[in-house]
Amino acid sequence: METSCDRISPLVVNPGKIMLTSSRLYFQPFNNLEPEPVTKMNLTEMKRILKRRFLLRQVGLEIFCSKDSLIADMYLVLPTAVERDKLYEHLIEQEDVCLMENDKENMLLKWQSGSVTNLDYLLYLNRYNIHCE
């Protein structure tokens, strides 16, 4: 899969191309703001992939890597929500991607988005004895 996107870092929106292969995710910027001409991220190093908002639109995708990885994380913004969801699905389907499950955070996000009722969220908290920090 290949598409255009922006890589977001503090105070910088860097346009470029993203390409997904069976072993790596590549980002090639259209300019020379990045220290390297192509950023490579091994799929085996990916630990979490989250859909995010950017400028109040559901077009962001944040990818977190393992602690030993050269790249800690990458925040990407795609042109449309459909393209973001397509990239997300392609990433999840890859055999080399082994994501960590963070049930607590997933349930919190579901509750915040309204997919889970208040009662279901409270029952979940009581069941696992999770207290707010």
Side-chain angles (χ1 to χ4, degrees):
M1 179 183 177
E2 183 177 336
T3 187
S4 62
C5 71
D6 295 332
R7 183 175 179 183
I8 309 299
S9 55
L11 302 176
V12 178
V13 176
N14 198 1
K17 231 6 155 190
I18 194 90
M19 181 189 286
L20 176 64
T21 67
S22 60
S23 60
R24 287 192 177 98
L25 181 70
Y26 297 93
F27 175 76
Q28 181 175 13
F30 292 149
N31 52 37
N32 60 358
L33 290 177
E34 298 284 330
E36 296 188 19
V38 176
T39 304
K40 303 170 197 165
M41 184 183 287
N42 289 330
L43 297 181
T44 56
E45 296 174 344
M46 292 182 185
K47 295 303 169 198
R48 291 175 55 208
I49 304 171
L50 300 174
K51 294 179 182 180
R52 298 282 194 197
R53 285 187 308 214
F54 181 73
L55 299 177
L56 299 177
R57 296 180 8 219
Q58 296 288 340
V59 292
L61 191 67
E62 191 166 14
I63 302 168
F64 296 94
C65 290
S66 61
K67 293 179 183 172
D68 353 335
S69 174
L70 296 174
I71 302 169
D73 64 286
M74 188 183 292
Y75 191 97
L76 302 171
V77 173
L78 285 91
T80 65
V82 173
E83 287 186 52
R84 188 264 322 251
D85 293 342
K86 192 168 143 185
L87 178 60
Y88 178 82
E89 292 301 323
H90 278 89
L91 279 169
I92 298 296
E93 291 170 358
Q94 297 296 321
E95 290 179 13
D96 289 345
V97 175
C98 182
L99 302 177
M100 290 180 357
E101 289 296 323
N102 193 345
D103 205 29
K104 178 181 172 185
E105 186 172 309
N106 287 342
M107 185 55 98
L108 175 64
L109 290 172
K110 286 179 184 178
W111 175 67
Q112 287 175 338
S113 67
S115 336
V116 173
T117 65
N118 289 344
L119 176 62
D120 290 333
Y121 184 64
L122 288 173
L123 290 172
Y124 169 81
L125 291 177
N126 286 334
R127 183 174 344 132
Y128 293 106
N129 197 16
I130 298 171
H131 300 287
C132 297
E133 297 171 358

